[in-house]
Amino acid sequence: MIQHRDGASAPDDSSVPLSGAPVRVAVTGARGGYGRTLLAQLRHVSDQTAAVLIDPDTAGVRQMLLELGCTEDGMTVTDDRAAAEAAVHAGRIALVPSAEALPWNSVDVLVEATGRVDVGTAYATRAIEHGVHVVMVSKETETVAGIALHRRAAAAGVSYLPGDGDQPANLLRLLDWIERVGLEVVACGKSSEYDLVLDPATGRVRQLDVEIDAPSLAELLELGDDAAATLAARAEAVTGLKRSAAADSCEMTVVSQYSGYLADTESMHYPVARPDELADIYAERERGGLIAEPGAVDVFSMLRLPGEASFAGGVFAVVRTGDPVTWELLRSKGHVVSRDGSHACIYWPYHAMGVETPLTIAAATGRGAVAPQIPRTPAPHTLLAARASRHLASGTRLAVEGHHHEVAGVAPVMLPGSEARRGAAAYYLLGGATLRRDIAAGELIGLDDLDGVAPVALDAFADGFLRP
């Protein structure tokens, strides 16, 4: 029997690796960017091996493996389960197009990375039923079905963990460390995916491949005595850029469900900030910061100059300091401490995607030393709900699209989980559904407003948010 981080034991079946044998990993959505970063790294992890890769584009997966140094003899492309099982047992990677060809008894851990709620929920459910551990990378699935899937995994005696390498798991690990040493969290969160890079010589700001004129920012590089006014002026200067994304709200909802920390405002604050200002910005309002209630989750847009290091979509927590002598000593060593010494910011400026996920795979199978020190069970603290940002007509078919997995005309909002019992739908249940009625701008979209919600995702949502 293998002991997991929560003390549960894995069932004695063929899905549990023999002692010393490499952990056999299946990856869904293998053709995506996350899948590639994980597969590239698994080639350097001696006790883990890619066994089955699932993606409709098996030809694309094959080409990717060749680019990563795998030989033709090292893989088998098939849509037959028996052939896939034979390939794994022969030491080859099986490339299959769907779950129907996935040999569950040849897999120890499933890494779910499709980003699709219906598909991801179905894969995770089947993995749990087969005694296979689940590492959940699809944060969209996590916001809808994660609570239910965690419960089902616990009942089955297998692990269900958010994957290291994306911000939710990274921030939860940081919070584990912070809480274990006894620091009080006032706010926590991440930087947005793309920095605001200001060139003072031209007055232009670049965000990824978009540039705008923002000459006033050069005069706003210092927070100044009136932080609120400076933040408002910075936000005004970059109004031409899209700084918020559904992915951000999605990730912070996952953190909330596992930690109990809540959004300070339903769309989060998104201050334009520099890392050395975070301890001041994320203090309570009575101290000149943004936070109304301690224990908030949020996202900031990083402002930097060309050549300065990025926060890299990393994670942070702002804590109360306590002993002033201790924290003045730490300030002298370069730590971020507020100007009045009352708050400090602790941060990890990275999220390395699949490069980090072997840590979670090891933890899932009881082989890792990076399991959280404080057990966390997700609960419906926050619902990622859907608020119409414009009028939506009855009969509109909704789709989750684009790099940030957003629904056109619908804004994601972080609300108390109790709103689900009042009828609010989860944002990612909208994908593929059709509106039964007109929805006015600013109105929440309810479950009763939708036709065609994916049954497997709806059932898991109900288990997590609506049923005792």
Side-chain angles (χ1 to χ4, degrees):
M1 303 284 270
I2 291 179
Q3 293 294 314
H4 303 308
R5 67 175 187 175
D6 58 2
S9 299
D12 288 317
D13 63 19
S14 59
S15 74
V16 179
L18 297 174
S19 177
V23 175
R24 299 163 298 180
V25 181
V27 183
T28 63
R31 183 69 177 87
Y34 205 106
R36 180 171 184 131
T37 60
L38 172 58
L39 293 170
Q41 200 60 31
L42 283 178
R43 294 177 60 80
H44 305 285
V45 180
S46 61
D47 62 349
Q48 298 175 18
T49 185
V52 185
L53 306 182
I54 310 99
D55 197 292
D57 183 11
T58 53
V61 176
R62 171 187 165 277
Q63 180 59 40
M64 179 178 68
L65 289 180
L66 291 173
E67 293 171 6
L68 291 174
C70 184
T71 65
E72 290 281 10
D73 291 341
M75 66 182 93
T76 296
V77 180
T78 181
D79 59 2
D80 178 75
R81 181 177 297 179
E85 182 175 359
V88 175
H89 287 184
R92 297 192 298 273
I93 304 173
L95 280 56
V96 303
S98 66
E100 284 65 37
L102 204 167
W104 289 106
N105 63 348
S106 300
V107 172
D108 306 307
V109 177
L110 174 76
V111 177
E112 208 306 298
T114 64
R116 291 183 52 187
V117 173
D118 54 344
V119 176
T121 302
Y123 272 119
T125 298
R126 293 182 70 174
I128 291 166
E129 291 171 350
H130 285 85
V132 172
H133 309 294
V134 176
V135 172
M136 182 56 69
V137 172
S138 297
K139 51 188 174 286
E140 301 85 358
T141 299
E142 189 84 83
T143 63
V144 174
I147 297 167
L149 291 171
H150 187 280
R151 291 174 183 169
R152 295 170 187 176
V158 297
S159 297
Y160 176 91
L161 302 172
D164 281 286
D166 221 354
Q167 290 97 331
N170 286 20
L171 181 50
L172 290 167
R173 274 206 293 123
L174 177 60
L175 290 173
D176 288 334
W177 181 90
I178 286 170
E179 293 171 4
R180 177 59 67 186
V181 302
L183 292 168
E184 181 185 354
V185 175
V186 175
C188 61
K190 52 162 266 185
S191 71
S192 57
E193 292 294 305
Y194 306 116
D195 297 348
L196 306 177
V197 184
L198 169 67
D199 183 347
T202 64
R204 293 181 64 79
V205 171
R206 175 174 50 84
Q207 184 185 52
L208 196 57
D209 55 357
V210 177
E211 284 194 17
I212 64 169
D213 288 315
S216 62
L217 271 185
E219 304 300 322
L220 298 168
L221 288 175
E222 299 297 327
L223 195 58
D225 295 332
D226 189 343
T230 300
L231 295 177
R234 288 176 179 174
E236 177 66 24
V238 295
T239 52
L241 297 173
K242 182 182 186 300
R243 296 190 293 112
S244 63
D248 296 335
S249 297
C250 182
E251 289 163 351
M252 292 303 98
T253 295
V254 174
V255 171
S256 176
Q257 289 176 352
Y258 277 89
S259 69
Y261 298 131
L262 305 174
D264 204 51
T265 178
E266 68 175 34
S267 298
M268 296 188 289
H269 290 293
Y270 279 98
V272 177
R274 311 195 77 191
D276 63 346
E277 302 167 344
L278 294 177
D280 289 287
I281 289 172
Y282 284 109
E284 299 89 338
R285 289 179 187 171
E286 57 266 27
R287 289 188 174 273
L290 294 175
I291 301 304
E293 294 292 334
V297 293
D298 206 70
V299 175
F300 76 95
S301 298
M302 178 172 173
L303 174 63
R304 66 178 176 89
L305 303 179
E308 290 184 336
S310 172
F311 210 83
V315 297
F316 73 91
V318 170
V319 301
R320 299 191 202 282
T321 52
D323 177 48
V325 175
T326 295
W327 288 93
E328 284 306 311
L329 173 63
L330 291 174
R331 188 203 298 272
S332 71
K333 293 179 177 290
H335 287 270
V336 175
V337 180
S338 64
R339 290 174 291 192
D340 67 3
S342 63
H343 295 70
C345 180
I346 299 168
Y347 60 96
W348 291 346
Y350 63 87
H351 72 298
M353 299 178 67
V355 174
E356 298 181 69
T357 309
L359 297 172
T360 325
I361 294 169
T365 56
R367 297 185 175 191
V370 192
Q373 297 172 307
I374 301 174
R376 294 188 185 274
T377 299
H381 300 295
T382 291
L383 171 69
L384 185 63
R387 192 181 297 283
S389 54
R390 57 176 169 80
H391 177 267
L392 299 170
S394 176
T396 297
R397 183 172 174 78
L398 304 167
V400 177
E401 298 175 314
H403 175 70
H404 291 296
H405 292 191
E406 297 180 321
V407 181
V410 184
V413 291
M414 297 175 64
L415 301 178
S418 57
E419 288 296 323
R421 292 185 178 275
R422 297 188 179 95
Y427 184 83
Y428 284 109
L429 286 178
L430 273 59
T434 301
L435 290 177
R436 290 176 176 170
R437 66 178 182 90
D438 287 356
I439 305 290
E443 190 175 358
L444 280 179
I445 298 175
L447 275 178
D448 290 343
D449 299 325
L450 302 172
D451 278 323
V453 176
V456 65
L458 180 59
D459 182 63
F461 173 71
D463 275 353
F465 283 87
L466 304 179
R467 297 170 187 155

